[in-house]
Amino acid sequence: MIRMILRRLLISVLVLLVVSILVFVATLLLPGDPARAILGTQATPERIAALQEHMHLNVPVWQRYFDWLSGVLTGDLGFSTSTQGSVNTLLADRIGASLVLLIASAVISTPIGLVVGTWSAIRAGRTSDHVVSGFSLVIAALPEFVIGVALVVLFSTSVFKLLPSVTLSPPGTPVWERPTQLVLPVLTLVLVVTPYIVRMMRATMIEVLASGSVEMARLKGIPERIVLFRHALPQASGPVAQVIALQLAWLAGGVVVVEFLFRYPGIGAALIDAVNNRDVQVVQAITLLIAGVYVVVNLLADVVGIVTNPRLRTEVAK
Amino acid sequence: MNPSSKYHRIGRRGFLGLAAGLAAVPVLSGCGRAADAEASAPAGPPKRGGMLRVGVTGGGSSDTLDPHIPATNPDIARTINLYEALLYRDNQFRLRPLVAESVVSSPDATVWTATIRKGIKFHDGRPVMPRDVVASFRRITDPDDPKTGAASLSMLESVVPTGDRTVEFRLSQATAGFDDYLGQYSLGIVPADFDVKKPIGTGPFRMGTFDAGLQSTFLRNEHYWVPDQPYLDKLVLTNFTEDDARINALLSSQVDVIDQVPVALIDVLRSDERIRILNSRTGTWQPFTMRVDRPPFDDVRVRQALRLVIDREQMINQVLSGQGRVANDLYAPYDPAYDSTLPQRRRDLRKVRGLLAAAGKPNLEVELTTAPIQAGAVEAAQVFQRQAKDAGITIRLHKVDTTTFFGENYKNWDFAQSFWYTRNYLPQVNNGALPSSPINETHFGDPEFTAIIAKAQGTVDTAERTKLLHQAQRIEYERGGDIIWAFPNQVDAYQVYVAGLVPDRTGIPLSGYQFRNAWLGQGGGA
Amino acid sequence: MSGGLLRRALGLRQAKIGLTLTGIVVLLAVAGALFGNMITGYQPDDFSGKPFHANGMAGTDGVGRDVLTRFLDGGLDLLGYGLAATAIGVLLGAALGMLAGYTGGWLDGLIMRGSDVLLSIPQLVFALLAIAMIGPKGWLLILVIGITHAPRVARVARQTTVGVIGQDYIKAAQLYGMPRRRILLREVLPNITGPLMVELGLRLTYSIGYVASLSFLGLGIQPPAADWGLMINENRIALVVQPWGVVLPVLAIAVLTVGTNLITDSLAAAAARRTTEES
């Protein structure tokens, strides 16, 4: 089992390495000369040459890649051309802001998803179950910006005028100092993620509740409540952990649209800015960061799956 | 203060009115003002004290404090309040003295003498000396690193101190309107030992804090040369890149004034009694630029056809919500030499078809490069595209982002857009209509035109010069590459308790960012 | 065989609702694009009043064009792009997945590791990267969304193919020396249509969502085209005064994606039921 996990880990590292090459090559193809982009109307040939020198744009490609990669590995994400500062400083506050969104969304959606999913599974086939299933099916279909705009119309502009529709954060003050402006972005993400957790939890629980061990427990006359908590839930924990991990991974990418919609000062909004500004190293850093979170969380999901599922353990091992 | 009590307070102020929808609820943090005091439009003599918080469009992490290379709106706002040039353009677009008391020319206009204002001091209390002026211009025209203003000072040969308070500008050729060139905000006078890390000038405010791309604060300059000015103790400039964020900040009282209100939203803001709109007629212009050296625009008939197919009134209505005046393919409307006798061009589809048929391009197809380089730019391109269709002209829109627009093809797009502030005719021509101009987007290089301009530059006699300038304008009117359809208004907004902001012709937002005139009435000034 | 699946799926009430919802929006988008100007009297790029004013049934947009006309005209591109991206994704994914599953060995490893790399970048981020390189072009949008679907479809196709190739009829075909391409098309493909149909529905829902999202970010369909995603972004600044320019397209996209998702879910349910019945 340890060997399998190690193998999985090695594959993840390789995948990340290939992703880094892909991202690096992609940003090489960006149109527009970053040196010109910075100088804009102030560009003269001498200045462009000087800036290119400064930005190491005249060093061979492979060397730039290794310079960049070794920088990333030592925690130096590079130089942001549009901000004329290090990418680390640019992203420092933004990573925090995005994490606040992610964690708040995860902390709210996970318990709701688990409880509703379990409840729905226990009542499988009844009206309440159909309502929950139908509802989660509908919400799960909606693109995140559709949910976000609907919430804005509902709570901020047209129906009720209760919550801010854009994030305003004066410099130096963290976004969470004004909690009301976190409500709509978090609610959007919660609505996007919860239906998946509900659906997976429901399916898993239905399977578990029909399994032999639970059947056995019931036959022994153990009260249903105890059957649920002692026998059914532990069996479901593996797949559920996987679902949660996958949703977290999804959130890492899903914040892009939500942050843009609410003008939220996180890494997603920074990515769109950087794409527009041809800020190569920022694009590289954020893409790699998101891919990194994605790969690591997926790895965790797999490891949890391997550890908790003896059947899978043996099956994959052969 | 807990959020609910704040919320209650806002509710009491009737915040959840119509306009509040835009803002939605702003829970004010610690920066709340005396919210209970009824705010009303201030009257009477200016009051001293308080802090003005300004929301400015644009900017980014490449923001600078360098007095000589301001690029974005926040840069310009900082430059104008920290530094002063020898002269400036006031709200009426009149040339007025600033660091200089006077600037006078020799009879042949080859030597100009500036007298430094008596008693004027830098932020650190040192008096402004002739050597400071000399050093400032040396910094601007540094051949290794020429600054923004250098391009228009090509005739400047040397700057020489000639007395305790006088400096001579010696020119390589007679230049009648040289003082006009000195009246640019990017020609601020700084100490001879200037260092951008210690941004010292003679402006009404001195530097407090500076966070590139985010916010800068300024403190009252106690040495300022205008008695009592500035009225404010503190000035805070905050960058806002997004329109809705800026408007929300105003409606939720996080800022006192904002520049650049999207024109379509003027009525919404007007309906809010706490907000005032500052609507300025200007001489700014947003042309479509056609390269006269590239097909199909190298055929003057094609250029004329495109100038005739545009419906200027409709452009103003659809793009500017009516906030602008019709233009006649000419710039510099406030120049005394502006030729208003040339007939106003109007849409004439029959003539358009005739011109295109004569040019052998009855089904003209062109590509217009557009980018959000200025409020309304992409919208203008869309409206123009639709209008051209009426005459069978196909305009394909090539929408790029701002960085690409100003990237390697900048100034070389065959057909694109541009944006210029108010200028007088000759400075504008020097900037954009001569082969030697730094930003000649249309590649206009008409030899006859260039010769007339050269002659006009050296002509001291006003009547004679005006005659030459009229000739030049006629050439541009007939053969030029700019489609100048309007002079858009500059629309800004402020809280009712803010005073001292007046309409300004320069096109620079918020009374030309001249915050030394601003003061706060009751209800303002935390 | 897939006909049976479809019939079975469409027997479900949920599928009928989904089909109705999808049908309404598709009809609206197609008929709107064809006859919109007859209903409202305007072309999508005509001006009907001042910007953000209440002229017409749904007001005007930021340059004074009729919102209703543009709404009616703005769905067809989205549908077309979504369908095309789905087609590319499912075809490419199914082909690669079947090939990997059937052939095994190093080719299998190469295809699946390659898709692992693609899978480790979120679809939208990948699309952003591609658009940043080449610019917001229609074909690129279709291609990049299609490509990001492919590894996800390939995984499913590979898994089901592996389940099928042990069957006797495949072995028989191999014994007869039938070429690989024919085995895959004639013997394998008809037996994995169930899961592929489910994937098709799922990918279509996502494709519509991604195209609309990218247009909403300003990186998809470009002005002056009337497009639902783009309309939402263009008009949201005036949400307070003229909400229809945002509300109509949001509703349409919502109904459309909900509809396709209901159908997909019914397909999945029908396919699952068939598997249980067969086993």
Side-chain angles (χ1 to χ4, degrees), chain C residues 161-197:
Chain C
T161 305
V162 168
V164 166
I165 49 171
Q167 307 280 348
D168 291 340
Y169 54 86
I170 305 267
K171 289 201 174 120
Q174 283 168 328
L175 273 181
Y176 283 123
M178 204 189 260
R180 186 167 69 178
R181 216 177 68 196
R182 272 185 63 181
I183 295 182
L184 284 175
L185 284 177
R186 290 276 184 83
E187 308 297 337
V188 177
L189 185 61
N191 286 295
I192 62 168
T193 42
L196 280 186
M197 290 289 284

Side-chain angles (χ1 to χ4, degrees), chain A residues 130-306:
Chain A
H130 285 309
V131 171
V132 168
S133 298
F135 197 68
S136 58
L137 194 60
V138 166
I139 303 278
L142 301 175
E144 50 271 38
F145 82 93
V146 166
I147 295 178
V149 172
L151 290 177
V152 168
V153 171
L154 201 59
F155 292 113
S156 148
T157 59
S158 303
V159 184
F160 304 105
K161 294 167 181 174
L162 296 172
L163 294 161
S165 61
V166 294
T167 319
L168 296 172
S169 68
T173 57
V175 276
W176 51 89
E177 273 200 359
R178 296 155 193 258
T180 47
Q181 59 189 14
L182 282 171
V183 174
L184 287 185
V186 169
L187 191 57
T188 307
L189 287 172
V190 167
L191 281 176
V192 174
V193 170
T194 312
Y196 289 96
I197 304 181
V198 169
R199 284 164 68 89
M200 288 304 293
M201 189 64 192
R202 177 179 174 274
T204 309
M205 280 308 286
I206 286 177
E207 202 175 299
V208 167
L209 286 173
S211 70
S213 61
V214 171
E215 204 62 19
M216 193 68 102
R218 279 190 183 135
L219 284 176
K220 280 188 199 156
I222 298 169
E224 192 66 13
R225 178 180 293 264
I226 295 176
V227 172
L228 184 66
F229 283 100
R230 286 268 174 80
H231 301 266
L233 279 178
Q235 276 194 58
S237 64
V240 166
Q242 262 181 304
V243 173
I244 294 169
L246 290 178
Q247 289 315 308
L248 270 176
W250 180 88
L251 278 173
V255 288
V256 174
V257 176
V258 174
E259 287 182 3
F260 175 81
L261 170 63
F262 292 102
R263 311 265 183 248
Y264 189 86
I267 55 162
L271 175 62
I272 292 178
D273 281 353
V275 165
N276 276 326
N277 290 331
R278 305 276 177 269
D279 202 339
V280 178
Q281 302 207 334
V282 179
V283 175
Q284 287 172 334
I286 297 179
T287 314
L288 202 60
L289 197 70
I290 291 178
V293 172
Y294 218 68
V295 169
V296 168
V297 177
N298 273 315
L299 174 69
L300 282 179
D302 280 3
V303 170
V304 169
I306 294 167

Side-chain angles (χ1 to χ4, degrees), chain B residues 18-19 21-22 243-244 247 262 264-265 267-268 314 317-319 321-322 378-380 382-383 385-387 389 397 399, chain C residues 43 45-53 62-65 70 136-137 218 222-225 234 236-241:
Chain B
L18 168 67
L22 260 184
D243 285 342
D244 47 0
I247 290 172
L265 297 182
D267 290 338
V268 184
Q314 191 182 50
N317 276 329
Q318 308 306 140
V319 180
S321 280
V378 177
E379 287 78 3
Q382 293 185 49
V383 176
Q385 178 206 39
R386 175 68 189 80
Q387 295 180 346
K389 225 163 81 176
L397 291 190
K399 192 190 161 210
Chain C
Q43 294 290 342
D45 54 359
D46 280 350
F47 307 109
S48 63
K50 279 201 172 185
F52 295 133
H53 271 240
V63 289
R65 296 171 296 208
R70 290 180 71 74
K137 306 249 188 323
Q222 293 295 302
E234 284 174 342
R236 67 187 174 127
I237 180 99
L239 198 53
V240 198
V241 261

Side-chain angles (χ1 to χ4, degrees), chain C residues 1 44 55 87 136 140 237 246 253 260:
Chain C
M1 205 175 262
N55 308 43
L140 177 68
I237 180 99
V246 174
I253 294 171
T260 54

